[in-house]
Amino acid sequence: MKSLRFISAIGLCCAIWTNTPYPFTVPKGFPLPVYRFKNNPRTRQGFELGRKLFYEGKLSRDGNFPCSSCHQQFAAFATYEHRLSHGFNNQFSFRNAPGLFNLAWEKEMHWDGGISHIEMQPLAPLLDPHEMAEDLENVISRLKKDKSYPVLFNEAFGSPGINSQHLLRALAQFTASLVSADAKYDRMKRGEVHYDEYEQKGYAIFQQKCGRCHQEPLFTDFSYRNTGMELDTTLRDYGRMRITGRKEDSLKFRVPSLRNVFLTFPYGHDGRFTTISEVLEHYNSGIIQSATLDSSLVKGIPISENDRFYLISFLSTLTDSNFIKNPLYSDPQLKGKIALPVEDSH
Amino acid sequence: MTKPSNVIGRQTSKFITRQVKAIAITFLIFLMITSFHKINAVADAELIIRFRAYVHGVPLELNKQYKNPFGESFEISRFRFYASRIAPVYTDSNIKSDGRLVYHLIDFSDSVSTRLVLPVTSGLCTGIRFLLGVDSLDQIRGAQRGALDPARGMYWTWNGGYQSFKIEGYSSVSSQPAHIMAYHIGGYRHPFSTVWKIRINTTDDIAFRLTKENKITVEVPIELDYFFDGQTPLHIREISSCMTTGEMAWKISENFVGSFNGLTLSKNP
């Protein structure tokens, strides 16, 4: 009788906490990711909780600014058509919101690399008075009062309490799972499709003129470089130097990935370039000389009119339309429907 | 005012070359072989540590007016710092004492947090050592709990990382709004790391014996006179706040290290 009770007790525990392992697959040709869900094994429940939290207004002070307000799926999780994003109390963010994909490969986050761990990343927008303008304790107490969250946290982490660690780890299970590896470029690499003549020419020019910093297959080498952009005197953003305090790092910003580049405009850390053509023109003729300018850019990168045409053909093959339509990553409240850009979305 | 000579602060090295690593591994293997001769480090005693802050020799009370050595008045409303790997310094060098990797957030507005009871090996000691701040490896471990829970108010979100210490309050000479004085000191990256290995000897190097029966409370005084009048004179009128990493934060952290004074001992009943 005793043993029966014991077994049923175990059975009950299992019934309460049955989380389903959800292994992470590294796309073919990609290196091993930096974040491998160590201490935070990916489960179906953890991922789904993270996804719900990503779209949750309760994480922001006035309820209007979930993560997804500045990271919109149709823009590869950047802010569509905005130099800077909007946050609490009609304020602008300090920098252009980057697209969110392949984050598991990033050792450091932000344009200046100020964040060294994906689990800690959400704290930056959450606590920034210009963005979600919230406080960790408020968020946690609001989630505790909610009807569904205590149950969902229990399902994901096997303990009923909600704390910052579980909140951050659930978000990381979702954000680290945002993998974009199914663009035409990837299908070409896998031998499933062929590039047309323009794309092929563009690819060759890209490899010759851009590929050293925008290294394949992630299209960034994750380094910090001064690309000769003039200091904006209203933002006074010195980039990497804010983090390291070293003069050598003045005006250096992280090399952004070019995956989904057609969707993530405007470009640059402050979104100053509206189109890809403007970016190409900057490298061709707009480089500002300074002490920390990247050595490869001292003479600029000559890009002819023809080069531009081919390059743009190639860059369009980096758009992963399956990624932006993947219902796994969409707002769970939409139940599989995909949000499309609308005029008034912030 | 001169810096007390019995305080030795050393910055943790961030840069390990491959060669150094190889040498370190060889050395470790050597240590492992030779360590059989060492005294087995069993935690058979307790060390009680109490951190106490002073201004000009008078115990600090929060939200009370004081004057620093430059005659500038100030009051402190928040005073917190991280300490870990706390261990006694034994006269017998065979006793290994790295200290356990447990982070303590010492918060002077919460008296419970200023008194620590640590399991240690018995032996004759002349001081203690600990790590001030959060080690670079633990800065990048992801979401943590306990003392390192970001909700404890010591985590920087735009330049990810834990502050080493925080001294906050008001000063009439501060030009900040509401005369705020705020030193939020952090940064773990080379060359402006504010993480320090600290070793403090007892006053006059008096040895004390830790045994199972002999419970000793070690008081670690922090003399804020040295914080202001330290290696870099910290005039509140000139520097009333520092909330970013970099050279200034590093210099202020050096002053803070200098404010740890000689230990005083008292026997527990």
Side-chain angles (χ1 to χ4, degrees), chain A residues 38-39 108 110 112-117 119-120 123-124 127-128 136-137 140 163-166 168-169 240 242-246, chain B residues 139-145 148-153 155-162 187-192 244-247:
Chain A
K38 193 190 159 203
N39 303 324
E108 292 162 333
H110 281 197
D112 56 21
I115 309 296
S116 315
H117 200 286
E119 290 173 12
M120 302 309 254
L123 292 170
L127 276 75
D128 190 314
L136 254 183
E137 282 173 32
I140 289 167
N163 57 48
S164 73
Q165 188 181 50
H166 290 160
L168 295 171
R169 286 186 173 172
R240 184 70 178 156
R242 282 179 97 222
I243 303 306
T244 62
R246 291 148 57 111
Chain B
Q139 293 272 8
I140 52 169
R141 267 194 217 288
Q144 298 182 68
R145 301 190 60 183
L148 296 181
D149 188 326
R152 300 294 292 269
Y155 191 79
W156 260 328
T157 53
W158 57 275
N159 182 358
Y162 295 91
Y188 60 92
R189 294 178 177 92
H190 179 77
F192 298 125
T244 51
T245 58
E247 193 173 2

Side-chain angles (χ1 to χ4, degrees), chain B residues 68-180:
Chain B
N68 71 9
F70 310 119
E72 298 170 318
S73 68
F74 69 94
E75 62 178 82
I76 289 175
S77 52
R78 273 199 196 113
F79 186 176
R80 299 176 189 150
F81 67 92
Y82 276 116
S84 66
R85 291 203 181 278
I86 307 172
V89 177
Y90 297 94
T91 51
D92 181 351
S93 60
N94 283 333
I95 303 176
K96 283 191 281 175
S97 64
D98 286 340
R100 293 196 307 161
L101 187 57
V102 176
Y103 283 92
H104 305 278
L105 180 60
I106 316 300
D107 182 345
F108 285 100
S109 60
D110 170 18
S111 62
V112 175
S113 76
T114 63
R115 185 178 180 272
L116 309 173
V117 182
L118 308 161
V120 293
T121 310
S122 55
L124 196 64
C125 313
T126 54
I128 64 154
R129 64 171 105 232
F130 66 94
L131 188 76
L132 171 74
V134 177
D135 185 81
S136 60
L137 282 175
D138 297 308
Q139 293 272 8
I140 52 169
R141 267 194 217 288
Q144 298 182 68
R145 301 190 60 183
L148 296 181
D149 188 326
R152 300 294 292 269
M154 293 292 280
Y155 191 79
W156 260 328
T157 53
W158 57 275
N159 182 358
Y162 295 91
Q163 297 156 40
S164 293
F165 66 95
K166 176 181 267 183
I167 296 179
E168 205 179 284
Y170 301 91
S171 169
S172 56
V173 299
S174 160
S175 52
Q176 302 291 338
H179 299 294
I180 289 171

Side-chain angles (χ1 to χ4, degrees), chain A residues 159-301:
Chain A
S159 67
I162 297 178
N163 57 48
S164 73
Q165 188 181 50
H166 290 160
L167 170 72
L168 295 171
R169 286 186 173 172
L171 279 165
Q173 290 208 21
F174 176 68
T175 54
S177 303
L178 297 170
V179 174
S180 175
D182 202 23
K184 185 172 184 185
Y185 163 83
D186 300 290
R187 293 198 295 275
M188 180 276 290
K189 282 281 168 187
R190 294 196 297 257
E192 295 162 18
V193 291
H194 291 286
Y195 271 172
D196 66 25
E197 196 190 331
Y198 302 136
E199 291 160 347
Q200 192 58 50
K201 272 191 179 165
Y203 187 27
I205 297 166
F206 173 85
Q207 285 177 311
Q208 190 206 334
K209 302 198 171 181
C210 323
R212 211 173 63 106
C213 304
H214 295 286
Q215 252 171 44
E216 299 171 61
L218 292 157
F219 289 87
T220 167
D221 65 351
F222 300 107
S223 63
Y224 303 90
R225 296 168 191 266
N226 175 348
T227 55
M229 288 166 71
E230 198 171 19
L231 179 76
D232 181 310
T233 51
T234 59
L235 293 164
R236 302 201 67 75
D237 187 355
Y238 289 92
R240 184 70 178 156
M241 190 173 81
R242 282 179 97 222
I243 303 306
T244 62
R246 291 148 57 111
K247 282 194 184 112
E248 308 92 278
D249 290 331
S250 173
L251 296 171
K252 287 186 183 173
F253 294 90
R254 201 171 69 156
V255 175
S257 171
L258 295 184
R259 284 182 172 270
N260 300 302
V261 68
F262 263 59
L263 306 168
T264 58
F265 64 100
Y267 307 107
H269 64 274
D270 53 9
R272 69 177 66 176
F273 304 116
T274 313
T275 60
I276 294 178
S277 308
E278 281 177 34
V279 178
L280 297 178
E281 189 52 49
H282 168 76
Y283 285 116
N284 185 58
S285 68
I287 300 278
I288 306 285
Q289 301 290 325
S290 66
T292 57
L293 178 66
D294 200 72
S295 58
S296 64
L297 296 175
V298 175
K299 290 178 185 159
I301 305 175

